[in-house]
Amino acid sequence: AQSVTQLDSQVPVFEEAPVELRCNYSSSVSVYLFWYVQYPNQGLQLLLKYLSGSTLVKGINGFEAEFNKSQTSFHLRKPSVHISDTAEYFCAVSELDTGFQKLVFGTGTRLLVSP
Amino acid sequence: GAVVSQHPSRVICKSGTSVKIECRSLDFQATTMFWYRQFPKQSLMLMATSNEGSKATYEQGVEKDKFLINHASLTLSTLTVTSAHPEDSSFYICSARDSGTSEATQYFGPGTRLLVL
């Protein structure tokens, strides 16, 4: 069964600094990978996704992520964060075994951007 | 595009009553929708997969008689929490896949916060 690990429950960072949110997954079959952002009391908004092709994926709001199959990772990066990036970030995986139907989420990483 | 709405956004009810939550895909058709539950400061847990015109598929440990799902049209799925109790208080989020594409992306609704007194 697949699992998703987000090792950092919280990442504090100063405004305009770079940030990396880590995501590792375990699966023996092909996967699709996603990053979602959740603002307080709201649903999830898709930041970016990897389905196939180039392993470097660019998303909205200046975020990007790189799929590394050998390390089974899909870390999220942004070169310069803003106060408005403060939110909860979830990494998610869907697997070939489920027809890529089901999403399994990591436990989330809270990004705290301070002035 | 790819907007999913939920109604209501917030509901408070008495213990023992039933609550219905609606999930709508506004600009696309969705043969498959998903219902998740999120406890405070935790991740999303898939409760069930809602299939248009057929029975929902529930995840292990989710009581199908407790959480009734109906997906009667290509743009609407409903979740009814029957005989709600305080432990059912949670944030319920739905998502939908665009059946007009082969993409696996799920688009999420804004969530419904349920408080059972």
Side-chain angles (χ1 to χ4, degrees):
Chain A
Q2 67 204 71
S3 65
V4 181
T5 302
Q6 291 180 250
L7 285 173
D8 305 307
S9 60
Q10 189 166 291
V11 173
V13 65
F14 288 111
E15 193 174 19
E16 298 183 8
V19 70
E20 178 180 85
L21 305 183
R22 295 180 293 169
C23 173
N24 288 86
Y25 68 93
S26 65
S27 175
S28 58
V29 298
S30 295
V31 295
Y32 290 162
L33 298 154
F34 305 83
W35 274 100
Y36 287 89
V37 61
Q38 184 179 35
Y39 298 100
N41 296 310
Q42 294 186 29
L44 274 67
Q45 181 182 6
L46 180 67
L47 274 178
L48 49 78
K49 59 190 175 187
Y50 171 80
L51 305 182
S52 65
S54 173
T55 57
L56 182 62
V57 180
K58 292 189 183 297
I60 63 171
N61 301 341
F63 284 94
E64 64 179 34
E66 186 159 18
F67 171 51
N68 187 318
K69 189 174 181 179
S70 62
Q71 296 186 3
T72 60
S73 67
F74 191 55
H75 301 331
L76 181 70
R77 302 186 184 97
K78 185 168 182 177
S80 175
V81 296
H82 301 289
I83 298 286
S84 59
D85 292 323
T86 295
E88 190 83 20
Y89 292 79
F90 291 98
C91 180
V93 173
S94 64
E95 203 172 40
L96 175 63
D97 281 4
T98 65
F100 300 108
Q101 286 267 354
K102 294 183 181 181
L103 278 177
V104 175
F105 285 86
T107 50
T109 296
R110 179 165 296 277
L111 177 63
L112 293 169
V113 183
S114 53
Chain B
V3 178
V4 177
S5 71
Q6 276 184 248
H7 178 81
S9 58
R10 182 184 297 265
V11 58
I12 301 173
C13 70
K14 292 182 179 179
S15 185
T17 61
S18 294
V19 174
K20 180 185 284 188
I21 302 170
E22 293 185 349
C23 177
R24 294 182 185 271
S25 56
L26 297 185
D27 50 1
F28 63 97
Q29 293 185 331
T31 54
T32 305
M33 292 184 173
F34 303 86
W35 287 97
Y36 295 83
R37 185 172 179 175
Q38 185 181 31
F39 290 102
K41 301 188 186 302
Q42 294 187 29
S43 189
L44 281 73
M45 299 300 295
L46 179 64
M47 298 174 65
T49 302
S50 173
N51 305 297
E52 187 269 335
S54 64
K55 291 182 179 180
T57 305
Y58 290 81
E59 295 300 299
Q60 191 171 8
V62 178
E63 299 176 60
K64 58 183 68 176
D65 295 329
K66 173 77 171 174
F67 299 99
L68 300 179
I69 290 173
N70 183 275
H71 193 154
S73 80
L74 288 171
T75 59
L76 173 64
S77 174
T78 61
L79 169 69
T80 301
V81 183
T82 62
S83 186
H85 291 287
E87 57 266 29
D88 298 322
S89 298
S90 191
F91 194 49
Y92 292 88
I93 306 177
C94 73
S95 71
R97 291 182 61 177
D98 185 346
S99 55
T101 75
S102 58
E103 277 230 3
T105 305
Q106 291 184 26
Y107 299 97
F108 285 80
T112 296
R113 187 162 299 284
L114 170 64
L115 177 61
V116 184
L117 302 176

